[in-house]
Amino acid sequence: FRLRIATVLGSGAYNVTVTRADGASRDFPDLPCDPALKRCHYLLWSGTGEKAAAFFLDNLRLDARAP
């Protein structure tokens, strides 16, 4: 699946779109986050499972764009 996360820093919200391999997608708009978030210094990907696991991030892109 493809995961797209977009926000305007300081807006207090972000949008997520999940697209499956078959092309079907689902949007999760206006998810709340801390409006004090004004900078992104790093990307952290974490799993909360109880068993060992691995994540493979392909075609990762971070863009800074003017609002």
Side-chain angles (χ1 to χ4, degrees), residues 18-40:
V18 179
T19 304
R20 297 179 354 178
D22 66 4
S25 65
R26 183 169 176 192
D27 294 321
F28 299 89
D30 299 319
L31 299 170
C33 66
D34 188 345
L37 177 64
K38 306 247 188 236
R39 292 182 178 192
C40 181

